[in-house]
Amino acid sequence: MSSPSAPREAATLEPSPQAFRELVMAVVERLEHYLATLAEQPVSATAGAEARAARLAGGPPEEGRPLEQVLAELFDHAIPPSFNAASPGYLAYIPGGGLPHAAIADLLAGVVNRYTGVRPAAPALVEIEAAVLRWLVGVVGYPHDATGLLTSGGSLATWTALVTARRVRLGESARVLRATLYASDQVHHAVTRAAVLVGFPAENVRLVASDADFRLDLAALEAAVAADRAAGYEPFLVTGSAGTTNTGAVDPLAALADFAAREGMWFHVDAAYGGAFALTERGRRALAGMERADSLVLDPHKGLFLPYGTGAVLVRRGEELRRAHEVTADYLPPSGEQEAAFDPHAYGPELSRPWRGLRLWLPLQLVGTAAFAAALDEKLDLAAEIAAELATLAELDLVAAPQLSVLAFAPRLPADLASAWQRHRSNPTLRRDPTARAELAAALAEPNRRTRQLLAAINAPQRVFLTPTRLDERDVVRICVLSFRTHRDRLAMAASDIRSAVSAVLGAAWPDRA
Amino acid sequence: MSSPSAPREAATLEPSPQAFRELVMAVVERLEHYLATLAEQPVSATAGAEARAARLAGGPPEEGRPLEQVLAELFDHAIPPSFNAASPGYLAYIPGGGLPHAAIADLLAGVVNRYTGVRPAAPALVEIEAAVLRWLVGVVGYPHDATGLLTSGGSLATWTALVTARRVRLGESARVLRATLYASDQVHHAVTRAAVLVGFPAENVRLVASDADFRLDLAALEAAVAADRAAGYEPFLVTGSAGTTNTGAVDPLAALADFAAREGMWFHVDAAYGGAFALTERGRRALAGMERADSLVLDPHKGLFLPYGTGAVLVRRGEELRRAHEVTADYLPPSGEQEAAFDPHAYGPELSRPWRGLRLWLPLQLVGTAAFAAALDEKLDLAAEIAAELATLAELDLVAAPQLSVLAFAPRLPADLASAWQRHRSNPTLRRDPTARAELAAALAEPNRRTRQLLAAINAPQRVFLTPTRLDERDVVRICVLSFRTHRDRLAMAASDIRSAVSAVLGAAWPDRA
């Protein structure tokens, strides 16, 4: 029955140190070429990508394939037709760039493969993660007894914050079904989805109006909370965005902190995009009040430039994060006293997990915090500069000036449409009315078509990649300056490509609809 | 106000291609030495680790530090004093080893930093992940319309399975509070914790008795479910373990599938440890019935030998995974028709996320599936062989024979204690009775002390690392053979170190208690 243990699999599953070197060098050679040509690579050319995907759809082979064949498949066929989030021209969504030092940290962590889920298994490696978390606690202005956790990204960080709020304040009880949650209508979808996965009914998430600067409107929030109390709901949690994804808007965080305290509500801050700007003087001013949040999410794979895969949740009273993840039951051994030292499994949902701390720690050690702060200051400058330039173009509206490093613009609307749109924006009743929305959408159909045309023309030279969003039925074009690789030269290309597109698309008469 | 964008940060945050090569080569040199000396490194020497941790507790420097200084800190001080999960002698907990190919995949994924949260951003790279998921679907015997998701580990995979069950069957309703969940008393803590984080009350998790082979006892399950129905609960979900962590026990999966179908309950299988054995003929026989689960968890960082950081959840009716993660609300755009192609954000809780697919795909492509199957067959052989050898030692009880590749043993008990323990194990009422448990624990105190002494003596030479567990108040020593690096020579060392320890600890008269 038992088959003899063949020495063969030892040779194939375990590369010799020499084979390991050859493997890694072949990949490094490809990566060097990738990095050396990055500035010239197209930023968002995905034509033919699904056809290439179809060729990769098969299962793994029974016997191994030659390394060069596999690397050619990846680097020549699979990787190129995708959005190039590593490019300096990537001004889409929320870029970070992806520090190579962090990727090297992942190589190191994977080969040594130590277990960092439970502190006693690797105390010094867990402490490296604890040290970067303490540093983040200081960056956002939290007190020393705050703590946190590195996650795979902002969505799971948000889920961890919300599950903490629920477990600490409501437990598993019917109150969860009466609890209501609030955020502005600009909040990221991750917050709503996290709420539902945590167990709150989707219909209990209230999106209150934002103001002319796309910030949460406090009066609207107060009215919503009062109405819910009157209707028998239990207003439970309010989220303030410290930099929305749409326009980079920063909600009135200090006022929200006051309001939440007055109402006995949990105050969560979504600083996934904006939080790292607290490393700069201007950022700290813009984000004042953030440090009063009960929980806060900040994504190191955004403003700290890591490759995708690292979010962070911080909890003001660190002990609450631990209590939320502690499960007591008759059959479980009693948990000990509060642990003095950080222990990941006790502060989060994971047990086995990757050693995420190193990919943040290593770049910070090798580069130092000053360079991160300087790079973030540079992004604030660059966003302000290109916004100022776009504001001079008569064909465009600067729909959202940068509050941090995101801005949005669109072809200027005819005067009547412009005032209709502003009227709609400033009237919460209209904004909730499906008929009014449909009418506005119909009126904006043609301008929106031109916006998309403009966007396509801007992106066509493949030097920059901008993405659209929709603000009250109006399509706009976003610019998010956040990659550590994006410098003034690339913003000059962006301005030039925008000017060309404006002249080509908006300078012409309204095109035929044939 | 605005500071000029200094070229300096470009130079420090972005290594030149040449600097990138130097950085990666310095790390590779350390890793080569690490791999070349791995077989001789101590397996679990953590003395002084907290003192070293204390030296790493500071925040990052303002200016960067020299690479060699940082690497010396890591490789000479931080990494060595920790459990060496990469070692061939690591027979503790659930090892995997950590394939270096996967670590190289992480380097690659991090540097190219493509976004794989949303399919259109990188169709071919998402398809690479979809392809390994489809392969896993086939490995466990699921139908073609099953799908899944790679997660950071088993805990979040389990949470995803349970949140799917809740969202699809119960939504966010008061039924969640009446729903009861069942598993054997050998189930992994991750299942209980996931249930609570999903929103089920901890007290609604029923741990039913296991039989003499540590498998879930069906009669006990039937009784518990009937009692709960009579008491007004809604029996909702039953978890079968396909290889428990304690002893590797495989629950009667086919019978559980029948039972769940009859009762209209969700059938979840925790195959985090055991699932990969489905690559072998013997494994498929042992795990028969697993393919009837509604959801299933399998950890590639266990039986597929990846470095920590990759779990997998598979859902039998793939569309349910998608529905569970879809959040509909008035203010959200309506979701489209069922998507034909796999799109990670639609099938899981994450939006930004690491490109996990590559770290499983690359080793499979380079090595081929046959070598994985052969390595798993080898583990089954090795576990059977060492169990047979331990069974010949008069001083030991083979408390749990390997059902897959885990076994457990302990010093043989005096006859009266042995029958007391067996009597307790076979009587669910006694097992739940705190007084009976306390009495048994008191009777076993001295044998347990000897077990721990024996374990310390086995681990002392640092050639293997075994860990204990407790089975009905009796401490036992586990052996888990799963690392791809563990071969017959290392099991011979284990047997030799166990024999020496038995002779030193159990051969002597009962030691003084001074």
Side-chain angles (χ1 to χ4, degrees), chain B residues 263-415:
Chain B
E263 297 280 340
M265 293 166 66
W266 186 280
F267 180 34
H268 174 68
V269 166
D270 178 7
Y273 151 64
F277 284 104
L279 279 168
T280 71
E281 177 61 31
R282 284 176 286 177
R284 278 191 294 278
R285 274 203 305 276
L287 302 171
M290 168 169 86
E291 74 286 354
R292 294 174 58 196
D294 295 300
S295 57
L296 186 151
V297 162
L298 177 166
D299 275 0
H301 65 207
K302 295 186 172 97
L304 294 172
F305 318 126
L306 295 201
Y308 292 118
T310 309
V313 57
L314 303 176
V315 174
R316 186 181 180 75
R317 295 166 297 280
E319 181 53 20
E320 293 186 339
L321 185 61
R322 179 167 174 275
R323 272 202 284 140
H325 291 91
E326 185 176 75
V327 171
T328 52
D330 271 0
Y331 50 84
L332 290 176
S335 71
E337 297 303 301
Q338 176 175 356
E339 292 163 49
F342 181 74
D343 198 344
H345 83 280
Y347 287 84
E350 298 172 316
L351 194 50
S352 293
R353 62 197 290 274
W355 180 25
R356 295 195 184 95
L358 189 68
R359 75 194 323 247
L360 180 51
W361 186 87
L362 189 66
L364 285 167
Q365 294 290 328
L366 293 178
V367 176
T369 57
F372 284 80
L376 288 161
D377 253 327
E378 181 198 17
K379 305 315 152 198
L380 295 174
D381 290 341
L382 296 178
E385 288 167 17
I386 192 159
E389 179 160 359
L390 296 182
T392 66
L393 299 184
E395 297 89 340
L396 298 182
D397 281 340
L398 184 65
V399 179
Q403 298 179 34
L404 292 167
S405 72
V406 178
L407 55 139
F409 63 93
R412 182 153 296 173
L413 291 176

Side-chain angles (χ1 to χ4, degrees), chain A residues 3 14 65 365 381 485, chain B residues 3 14 65 365 381 485:
Chain A
S3 62
E14 176 78 280
R65 296 163 58 205
Q365 293 290 327
D381 290 341
R485 291 199 174 100
Chain B
S3 61
E14 176 78 280
R65 296 163 58 205
Q365 294 290 328
D381 290 341
R485 291 198 174 101

